[in-house]
Amino acid sequence: MTQIIDFSKSAIASFSQSISIPVLASPSSNTLTQFGMATALGGSVLLNASVGVQTVFGTPDLLFTILRGAAPVFTLRTTVPGAGLFDLISLSYVDTGFAAGYFAYTLTVSLVNSSASNAANLIGPVDFSGLSLV
C-alpha cells in the first residue's frame, strides 16, 4: 500500500496574465519556485508544474529545469509559438533514487536560443508541487 510522506507546493502566480517577468537568457536563469520535501528510503516524489508564457518576439526556445538540491534531475526544452501568443507549459516528473531526508526542489527557466531575436515573458500561472510517496 502506498503511503504519503509529504506534500508541498509553491506558486508565484495563480492566474494567467497576472505577472509579466522577462525570461533571462542562458547562462542566466529565472528561479521560478522552490519548496522543501521530506522523503523516505525507497520512495519517490511526483513533481508537477504549470507555467504560463507569452512570446514577445521570435520563437523562443525555453529550457525548464527541476533541481533536487543543486543537482538537476529533469529538463524540458520547448519552443513557444509566435509573437504575442500565450502558451501553458505543463510538466511532470517522478524523482527516485535518493536517500531518506529533506530536499529542496527548485524550478528554473532560461531562454536558450538567441536573445537578440527571441524573447518571452512569464505571465502566469507559475505553480510547482510535489508529492512524496513510499
Side-chain angles (χ1 to χ4, degrees), residues 26-72:
S26 181
S28 296
S29 65
N30 300 76
T31 297
L32 301 179
T33 61
Q34 57 188 29
F35 56 80
M37 175 76 51
T39 63
L41 186 62
S44 58
V45 175
L46 173 61
L47 300 161
N48 292 295
S50 296
V51 181
V53 296
Q54 180 181 24
T55 301
V56 176
F57 58 86
T59 52
D61 287 340
L62 303 180
L63 181 67
F64 290 89
T65 304
I66 296 176
L67 300 111
R68 180 185 351 106

Side-chain angles (χ1 to χ4, degrees), residues 14-115:
S14 297
F15 302 100
S16 179
Q17 301 181 43
S18 59
I19 57 173
S20 181
I21 301 170
V23 177
L24 300 174
S26 181
S28 296
S29 65
N30 300 76
T31 297
L32 301 179
T33 61
Q34 57 188 29
F35 56 80
M37 175 76 51
T39 63
L41 186 62
S44 58
V45 175
L46 173 61
L47 300 161
N48 292 295
S50 296
V51 181
V53 296
Q54 180 181 24
T55 301
V56 176
F57 58 86
T59 52
D61 287 340
L62 303 180
L63 181 67
F64 290 89
T65 304
I66 296 176
L67 300 111
R68 180 185 351 106
V73 295
F74 177 81
T75 60
L76 172 73
R77 184 174 176 158
T78 187
T79 301
V80 184
L85 297 178
F86 301 96
D87 198 12
L88 180 66
I89 312 299
S90 295
L91 53 105
S92 294
Y93 176 70
V94 177
D95 189 21
T96 59
F98 43 75
Y102 193 83
F103 296 98
Y105 282 94
T106 305
L107 177 65
T108 67
V109 65
S110 60
L111 176 71
V112 292
N113 55 351
S114 170
S115 61

